[in-house]
Amino acid sequence: SDIIFSRLPLLKPCGTLSLDKLNMCMDAKHHKTQPGIEGQLYLQCSPWKDNACCTANTSAEAHDDNSYLYNFNWNHCGIMSAKCKKHFVQDTCFYECSPHLGPWIQPVDQSWRKERILDVPLCKEDCHTWWDDCKDDLTCKTDWHRGWDWKSGINQCPQNAHCKKWTEVYPTAKSMCEQIWSKSYLYTELTKESGKCMQLWFTGTNPNKKVAEHYLNKGCGTHHNLFLVTFLLLSVTSLNGLF
């Protein structure tokens, strides 16, 4: 038995892994190192004030057309409608302020951040409302993370990229949610009531903590099962060596 246990891998306890990822901030351009109370968060970022990864200044800049955050130009194909822009502000607040994105944070080799989110499962209503409110707007690109012309210091449509109606670039809510930020989001058929999808915006208590707990527990089961399989395989290998 000593032989078997001496060969077992040293694995961090699953519960500890879950706690680490349940309340954390990404290592990115404007995020705080640890989430905490921010009583003065601005307008659409205010729901995160009790526990946020963004500062008050970041939350105010998230609402600004000429924000220093990323020098990103929402109006690259004419003035974006107010109802469409509202969702991009909420999206920015979600990205900058959320402390419960741990299950979907991945390392990335980019000059402006060391981590990103990937395949965050969004609630169906959020994707559809966002797409519906932007369907009469225009854009020239499918993936807004890359491929812009930055010569002027802000993003502009690249050469030979023509402004098109939103629904031509994104025929469905699914295509928009999954493509616009390089698969940061995953379209789901899950509704807010399911407790298994992330809400881009909310009022009252942050519902996304329970969603993160659900996925962490799901992953924790996989982690535990992998540990057991490893243990059994090593046990069999060790016993074969003894006999």
Side-chain angles (χ1 to χ4, degrees):
S1 61
D2 289 342
I3 296 172
I4 295 170
F5 284 102
S6 68
R7 294 178 62 184
L8 279 174
L10 294 174
L11 297 177
K12 194 173 183 181
C14 192
T16 305
L17 284 170
S18 297
L19 288 174
D20 288 347
K21 290 190 173 184
L22 183 59
N23 192 51
M24 66 178 293
C25 298
M26 267 182 286
D27 187 352
K29 189 172 184 181
H30 301 291
H31 289 71
K32 292 158 44 176
T33 54
Q34 295 290 333
I37 295 172
E38 289 286 340
Q40 300 299 317
L41 293 187
Y42 190 65
L43 293 179
Q44 292 190 78
C45 292
S46 62
W48 285 272
K49 61 182 170 46
D50 292 335
N51 192 30
C53 286
C54 60
T55 64
N57 192 49
T58 296
S59 74
E61 288 292 330
H63 294 71
D64 193 345
D65 280 341
N66 299 307
S67 170
Y68 79 88
L69 293 180
Y70 303 101
N71 290 326
F72 196 87
N73 176 26
W74 305 117
N75 304 318
H76 53 268
C77 279
I79 303 299
M80 181 179 279
S81 67
K83 65 179 181 178
C84 181
K85 185 189 171 188
K86 174 186 73 175
H87 293 282
F88 283 96
V89 173
Q90 291 175 354
D91 162 60
T92 302
C93 291
F94 178 84
Y95 172 78
E96 299 289 347
C97 302
S98 294
H100 305 310
L101 293 172
W104 304 282
I105 291 176
Q106 300 288 332
V108 65
D109 183 17
Q110 293 178 325
S111 60
W112 53 284
R113 62 180 180 178
K114 294 181 179 178
E115 292 179 327
R116 64 162 294 184
I117 49 174
L118 185 67
D119 290 335
V120 176
L122 289 189
C123 294
K124 181 178 181 178
E125 302 99 316
D126 283 357
C127 277
H128 280 272
T129 304
W130 186 356
W131 180 80
D132 196 54
D133 283 346
C134 293
K135 67 183 180 183
D136 294 323
D137 282 83
L138 303 174
T139 186
C140 59
K141 281 183 51 53
T142 304
D143 186 344
W144 286 20
H145 259 156
R146 53 175 67 93
W148 296 99
D149 180 350
W150 287 95
K151 293 190 193 75
S152 65
I154 62 171
N155 60 300
Q156 295 182 327
C157 294
Q159 190 175 10
N160 299 322
H162 303 290
C163 293
K164 298 178 182 178
K165 190 173 179 181
W166 201 265
T167 50
E168 289 183 53
V169 180
Y170 305 114
T172 63
K174 181 180 189 297
S175 63
M176 183 203 73
C177 273
E178 294 188 344
Q179 294 175 9
I180 197 163
W181 297 128
S182 308
K183 296 189 179 296
S184 291
Y185 298 135
L186 178 69
Y187 176 86
T188 75
E189 293 290 341
L190 298 167
T191 62
K192 295 178 180 181
E193 289 73 22
S194 71
K196 296 178 181 178
C197 58
M198 299 291 275
Q199 298 182 35
L200 280 179
W201 201 76
F202 56 90
T203 56
T205 303
N206 191 336
N208 293 327
K209 182 177 181 180
K210 289 185 181 296
V211 179
E213 284 177 342
H214 167 76
Y215 285 95
L216 284 170
N217 288 334
K218 187 177 178 181
C220 200
T222 303
H223 178 94
H224 182 65
N225 290 339
L226 179 61
F227 178 86
L228 290 177
V229 169
T230 303
F231 174 78
L232 290 171
L233 286 173
L234 287 174
S235 298
V236 171
T237 302
S238 298
L239 288 172
N240 285 340
L242 290 173
F243 296 99

